[in-house]
Amino acid sequence: MIRAPWTLCGPCVCHPTVIDPLAPLLKQYADVRAHSVALAARLSDEDQCVQSMPDASPTKWHLAHTTWFFETLVLLPHVADYQPFDRHYAYLFNSYYEALGPRHPRLQRGLLSRPSIQEVHAYRNYVDRAILALALDGIDQDAIDLEALLGPLELGLNHEQQHQELLLTDILHLFSCNPLLPAYNPSAQRSAQEQTPMQWLSLPGGIISIGRSAPEQAAPELPGFAFDNETPRHQRLLPPYQLASRLVTCGEYKHFIEEGGYQDPQWWLSDGWAVVQAQQWTAPAYWLAPGDPRRPDAAWQVFGLDGVQPLQAHAPVANISFFEAAAYAEWAGSRLPTEFEWEAAFGTPGLSQMMGPVWQWTRSGYEPYPGFSPRAGAAREYNGKFMVGQQVLRGASLATPHKHSRSTYRNFFPPTARWQFAGLRLARDL
Amino acid sequence: MIRAPWTLCGPCVCHPTVIDPLAPLLKQYADVRAHSVALAARLSDEDQCVQSMPDASPTKWHLAHTTWFFETLVLLPHVADYQPFDRHYAYLFNSYYEALGPRHPRLQRGLLSRPSIQEVHAYRNYVDRAILALALDGIDQDAIDLEALLGPLELGLNHEQQHQELLLTDILHLFSCNPLLPAYNPSAQRSAQEQTPMQWLSLPGGIISIGRSAPEQAAPELPGFAFDNETPRHQRLLPPYQLASRLVTCGEYKHFIEEGGYQDPQWWLSDGWAVVQAQQWTAPAYWLAPGDPRRPDAAWQVFGLDGVQPLQAHAPVANISFFEAAAYAEWAGSRLPTEFEWEAAFGTPGLSQMMGPVWQWTRSGYEPYPGFSPRAGAAREYNGKFMVGQQVLRGASLATPHKHSRSTYRNFFPPTARWQFAGLRLARDL
Amino acid sequence: MIRAPWTLCGPCVCHPTVIDPLAPLLKQYADVRAHSVALAARLSDEDQCVQSMPDASPTKWHLAHTTWFFETLVLLPHVADYQPFDRHYAYLFNSYYEALGPRHPRLQRGLLSRPSIQEVHAYRNYVDRAILALALDGIDQDAIDLEALLGPLELGLNHEQQHQELLLTDILHLFSCNPLLPAYNPSAQRSAQEQTPMQWLSLPGGIISIGRSAPEQAAPELPGFAFDNETPRHQRLLPPYQLASRLVTCGEYKHFIEEGGYQDPQWWLSDGWAVVQAQQWTAPAYWLAPGDPRRPDAAWQVFGLDGVQPLQAHAPVANISFFEAAAYAEWAGSRLPTEFEWEAAFGTPGLSQMMGPVWQWTRSGYEPYPGFSPRAGAAREYNGKFMVGQQVLRGASLATPHKHSRSTYRNFFPPTARWQFAGLRLARDL
Amino acid sequence: MIRAPWTLCGPCVCHPTVIDPLAPLLKQYADVRAHSVALAARLSDEDQCVQSMPDASPTKWHLAHTTWFFETLVLLPHVADYQPFDRHYAYLFNSYYEALGPRHPRLQRGLLSRPSIQEVHAYRNYVDRAILALALDGIDQDAIDLEALLGPLELGLNHEQQHQELLLTDILHLFSCNPLLPAYNPSAQRSAQEQTPMQWLSLPGGIISIGRSAPEQAAPELPGFAFDNETPRHQRLLPPYQLASRLVTCGEYKHFIEEGGYQDPQWWLSDGWAVVQAQQWTAPAYWLAPGDPRRPDAAWQVFGLDGVQPLQAHAPVANISFFEAAAYAEWAGSRLPTEFEWEAAFGTPGLSQMMGPVWQWTRSGYEPYPGFSPRAGAAREYNGKFMVGQQVLRGASLATPHKHSRSTYRNFFPPTARWQFAGLRLARDL
């Protein structure tokens, strides 16, 4: 087990004069960094090395990339004589930042059996110590511009939290490709919540405020963090509409399957139907049909982080693409909500499951808000350059880190993506 | 030359009692059908047979498919004992209507050297005569429900007009693949309009009505035709914004190229940059760089329906993808307008080039309007099932048929498409 | 109809002093060139323009390419002031001769709707007249080296004959892709020969002379022509073996299908089995299974140059790949002969169908004979550079031009190729 | 470190009555099995899990697959109540034996992070103990048919030796994909043998005996082992020829590169030239050109099992494809030898480097010898089904296990394969 360096001396105790904003941030830094390591601790070295598809990354890569992010956006700009841990890592662990130079091809992340897991942990410790030293130096000597430091630090933590969710969805995808169908955490319990009858809740629409104030205004109070894609706060005009009180369940989705939903083009968007046929989809990504040779059983089963379990009719359907969500909604005589309808309804009494256990596909393409302006510097490439060809998801999932969810959060994935914990909630016109 | 059958007897003269809505529609039918034939008349049989890429179709296929559309949506439902011209054609010339049965693979339309051009013209005549007979029967004998006939007829004409534009863009693509770079119409003249200085026009935004009333309410008055994707008319709330008074010119775009625009990822959306590199784009689709071996010249040239011509600095840039339009706007410190900003500004004094000569890429993904409901029957698949992964274009182009353009028209193509006459107009926040 | 230029004046009559070798060659030139045109005469302009797959070429391209071959290998080297018909044609109609400069991509031959069929015929006439003028000049004025002319002329004729066969197999492939399944020549009759019982003929093996003398020794006597890949004549040592007296029939092959031959990997080479599964092969390329929707029938049918016909049990199986031939032989407890066994047995009494109606796949990879040396000059690339990854076929087919077949002829195609008239003869060890 | 079970009790000491053939085989079994484990001992768990390309397999998979081979071909047929170690392994570790049931897709071997390395070692021990018990039971109780056991055991050992070579070439390929270019064994020394001047040795040809007697005749004397593809011994007739006294060196090959060899199509087979252009080959697979950003240096370097080292002009060129070998030979005015020329010359005084350090591409396609018959049973698929589309290599390489090389050995790979230690020796006609 890796011990984070700040646990050795306890910065907040040794430095009682720490200014307000930094102390909680260092505490959060310690927590977030330790949580990534803890998530990986269930995995063997081999598990952590493999890339199962182009969209997924190895666990080890997640651990290193999130560290590189701090090194590049915090340490290099703020520590005058900072020596990178390894000069190759900028190439190996840059994800997609063109402004930061060439990088290892995304499709070949799984070929990096070196550096080893141990080296990556050493890298994490090296950077963690440097971050801590930077913070303490700044506090003691007023040598650094704390304000300028907070933004990148906060972004780095939120960035690492996003990768924590990806780490879980990526490892689940890897395990789903293994005929042995290993469980990430066999002792995890799935919620066995009772299914409540679905209600239609009526929302009035009207002129609604959407999104968040610009990030520079939100810092340094931590609860105020938002990604640039959630900004600026602006107004939308919505007609009245209805939202379902809860998510669509596995039992309901199984009905769609049994009624021939995957065989009838009338429910599907054109591109979706093409994918259904090309990929021969017949059920959500991790469902095992009765008789599946990997785990023969007379009934449907679902593979998840806890391994293969019987399908729970009450559980929300997960691991479906936008195309499947939209087809189900069409079949059900409804539609998906827009992301604005979702946000406008947030907090309405009677609306349940708004923050999990699965993300909720919306009918909204991922576009900039009116007046959108990306962050400055390298972080400029964080969100804005992906704003085409993807769909917005709202809410959160069982894999979303604690305190990382909020009503204005805009998750986004291509309409074909199935390896996320994504389901749907129905909507309809009033 | 093919003579349309109604020119033989002149229906309006022989049947002076023709009811109001049918007479102009038959006149329009004659005009539209003849125009397709006229467009093809400049081409050899070989030109009309070839498919140059998956997204394009042979001229002959356009001529047959538009005819099949009338046969299937008008004749078969309304003529009790109608005998199709050839039982194979339903398979060969269905484009994408899943509800109408299996069809010839899109990628293999260019393999259909048979039926011949002559057979396709015979097919057109056969269907034209049947349409005419149906209309006259209806008039004489009150035997048909004219109201029910008008909608599909009108749709079929607008459908054929869309294919007239595609016929031209598809043949231009074919010719662009030929090292001889033949001209579709060598004697066509390009507009040599003077370039006016670009002005920023300020628009107030506010609550704006967008789109059209539902189609069933628009018919039978012909000017009221709209595709279902333009409906329903609804309200949007827009912040104030500015629009450029004219389109971006070739001269301006050349400046972007010469400043290294195609080599710098900072201007590009992520997917766009990937395409630029994979396809090695360095200029709009039909531009010939100085020294191009096909037509050696010291200056830039542009290939078009009139063949290869010197680049006209004043002409609007055309044949660019959404990705290029967005990159140019970013480089120019601006952005693309949304489709709502475009429509809201329509008619503003000082705004020129709103209806050509090129379509205008917008920042808006192609999504259903609030309350959207597709047409009933087979036409249900006309628009709605494509509402994901594409961008909306507004305006019209030099290839858009006369009277086919309007301020609410929503054209749509994938963000990579370059073979349309598409350019851009700049916008910015106020 | 195109009249060949020499028919206008009759060279042999006007020039009675024509030296021996040239006269028959000019006669053959006229015949061969006219035959290509005659083969195309059954086709529409559209038929002649389309390329149905990367391995096939449009008819028009065959007509032009064979002409370019004469222009490039005969006229340009031997006529001092020769003006090419069109400066673009060297680029458009070079097939694969790297030494002769860049060329139009093979995959895009079907995009050349221009030049038109008429222009290609004009090109053919232009070159034919120049060839005739060259020959007559040479005769009259002793101005040219007749010996140096004969080799390339002869090669050009044999080259065009090869393309005559490809023209037919390529057009048949195109028609096979058309759901209408048009007939190239509806009035052609298939041979309805009685099936004779298959006999095993025993051959003694021993030291056998294989192949032909080097080409420079064969000219100028025309019957002596051979491609360089048939040379040099050399000796092989063969063990005793047995050959089947006739080709495998459609009836026998149907038995293989009905016994599950396409579902059982034990009969297949590994790469062959991969293709069977990837391409979902279940029968020879142009067989229609009972109930095929294109031509519903209760029995097997076979598509050929005469259209769709009932399967003739006595006819040799055709349009199979090497993989299918080898699998059938394995299933039949036999093997394919080597090309040397085939050539050694040629002329043995009792061996029938050695020269058609289908080529015979052999077990021999296409390799250079001991001492092989390619032709000099541009023709160096004619054969030698393909000597890897292909299998040798021996004999001839119904599409092979008259007088173009011989016992030493080495045809070659990749083991996956099915669009040739290729079948098999069984062999076994003694 | 894993201790092989037989080292615990020393079977030969405990059982002095062991019959002749079994004792040395058990000794060899212990040696071979231990050698595989030793080869893997230099690698981390992560190294052993990754698959770097479709043709390569993870180290762990090699360790398990070779074990499965013994389990399936020796234990299951000969031990009545044998319980497989894990019922899933037959699916996971079957390579390509269709007769032995379905198997894990080859392209997904790298996704098997489970079973772990430790489980695979447990599997090896389990099978090793069972093999030992089987042998001892047989010796003690005459309970088994020793003769029937020897063939599969011997095949299994030779099979594992083949995988030992692949294990090394596969891990080298993996490391070559890693920008860090790690060394498998940094302390390994490359032979620094002096370059001797190349001599042409003349061979008389004539009737030569090639290959080996059938395997059933070779057993049980171990030195007599041969794969079925080396049988039967037969006669070939060869013309006189010349062979180079040594292999082509890196210095000579560098000359080919510097003379523009990779830019000139005249030296290349057609398929080879296509690969050169598509893959942008400019040097052997593991050469680093001067200035390579991974290891900047002014001179050529070569990556190997000992990491990156300066190019040694005297060392034989390695890691080239058949296409490169043939192109070099053409450029050098020579050709590659046939596999028969190579075997016939074996043992000729003055011929050096016949058994390494690199395999030698020959001009011979991989075909069955006259009278070839594959082994019976599951081993039938071992060699024969690959006999098309590949080229024969002769000799051995630095990675070939001790005692695994012989003059009749036929190695084979596709002509594009570069990740083997393969080079060339020149030949020419006399």
Side-chain angles (χ1 to χ4, degrees), chain B residues 5-350:
Chain B
W6 47 79
T7 64
L8 301 177
C9 79
C12 300
V13 175
C14 304
H15 301 84
T17 62
V18 160
I19 61 170
D20 281 342
L22 195 56
L25 199 54
L26 284 180
K27 172 66 170 62
Q28 191 191 12
Y29 184 91
D31 290 348
V32 169
R33 297 287 286 170
H35 186 56
S36 297
V37 174
L39 288 175
R42 293 185 178 281
L43 301 170
S44 72
D45 289 6
E46 297 153 87
D47 294 334
Q48 297 184 52
C49 187
V50 181
Q51 180 176 31
S52 60
M53 65 164 171
D55 290 333
S57 297
T59 298
K60 185 169 70 175
W61 190 91
H62 285 300
L63 295 177
H65 164 70
T66 49
T67 304
W68 165 85
F69 194 92
F70 283 109
E71 189 173 55
T72 306
L73 271 75
V74 177
L75 295 175
L76 283 169
H78 292 100
V79 181
D81 57 348
Y82 179 74
Q83 294 299 317
F85 180 75
D86 187 304
R87 71 172 178 89
H88 292 97
Y89 285 15
Y91 179 84
L92 293 178
F93 299 122
N94 178 358
S95 53
Y96 56 68
Y97 296 86
E98 302 278 353
L100 297 174
R103 67 219 147 270
H104 191 62
R106 179 179 186 104
L107 300 184
Q108 298 181 18
R109 289 177 185 167
L111 302 185
L112 298 176
S113 64
R114 315 284 178 93
S116 69
I117 295 282
Q118 288 70 34
E119 287 168 304
V120 167
H121 282 299
Y123 179 37
R124 290 182 69 89
N125 281 340
Y126 180 89
V127 166
D128 288 345
R129 287 174 188 276
I131 292 281
L132 181 60
L134 170 64
L136 297 184
D137 278 7
I139 294 158
D140 290 350
Q141 303 158 21
D142 286 338
I144 58 166
D145 177 357
L146 272 175
E147 290 295 320
L149 190 60
L150 285 174
L153 254 184
E154 199 174 35
L155 179 63
L157 291 173
N158 281 275
H159 171 258
E160 182 145 354
Q161 286 178 308
Q162 290 185 310
H163 278 275
Q164 286 167 356
E165 177 150 6
L166 292 174
L167 186 155
L168 289 173
T169 57
D170 290 357
I171 202 73
L172 182 59
H173 184 267
L174 170 64
F175 285 171
S176 79
C177 299
N178 191 322
L180 304 176
L181 292 172
Y184 169 77
N185 180 6
S187 63
Q189 285 203 325
R190 298 191 187 186
S191 65
Q193 205 177 348
E194 265 309 281
Q195 182 182 16
T196 55
M198 195 268 273
Q199 308 282 342
W200 285 109
L201 304 184
S202 294
L203 283 302
I207 293 179
I208 309 286
S209 288
I210 295 291
R212 291 284 296 272
S213 311
E216 59 275 14
Q217 301 170 279
E221 46 163 339
L222 189 63
F225 178 82
F227 287 113
D228 55 8
N229 64 1
E230 302 169 53
T231 67
R233 188 163 179 81
H234 66 286
Q235 293 186 312
R236 296 266 170 179
L237 176 60
L238 304 182
Y241 61 103
Q242 289 188 313
L243 270 189
S245 59
R246 60 159 171 75
L247 299 172
V248 169
T249 65
C250 288
E252 290 164 343
Y253 199 88
K254 183 160 76 81
H255 193 206
F256 170 61
I257 295 173
E258 291 166 351
E259 295 280 308
Y262 282 82
Q263 285 78 47
D264 190 343
Q266 72 169 307
W267 312 125
W268 298 82
L269 287 159
S270 181
D271 288 353
W273 182 242
V275 177
V276 165
Q277 295 183 292
Q279 305 290 331
Q280 306 192 341
W281 286 352
T282 55
Y286 299 148
W287 286 30
L288 284 72
D292 187 293
R294 294 169 297 175
R295 292 291 171 96
D297 194 279
W300 285 92
Q301 299 172 97
V302 177
F303 177 65
L305 291 169
D306 53 354
V308 176
Q309 305 290 349
L311 179 144
Q312 293 180 316
H314 296 177
V317 65
N319 297 111
I320 58 173
S321 64
F322 166 78
F323 289 128
E324 289 161 296
Y328 177 86
E330 187 78 14
W331 173 80
S334 310
R335 60 172 174 82
L336 298 177
T338 66
E339 63 166 321
F340 313 110
E341 289 172 334
W342 191 97
E343 186 170 334
F346 191 84
T348 300

Side-chain angles (χ1 to χ4, degrees), chain A residues 42-53:
Chain A
R42 294 185 176 281
L43 301 170
S44 73
D45 289 6
E46 298 153 87
D47 294 335
Q48 296 185 50
C49 186
V50 181
Q51 179 177 33
S52 60
M53 66 164 171

Side-chain angles (χ1 to χ4, degrees), chain A residues 201-204 239-242 335 428-430:
Chain A
L201 303 184
S202 294
L203 283 303
Y241 62 103
Q242 289 188 313
R335 60 171 175 83
R428 64 182 185 191
D429 300 328
L430 199 56

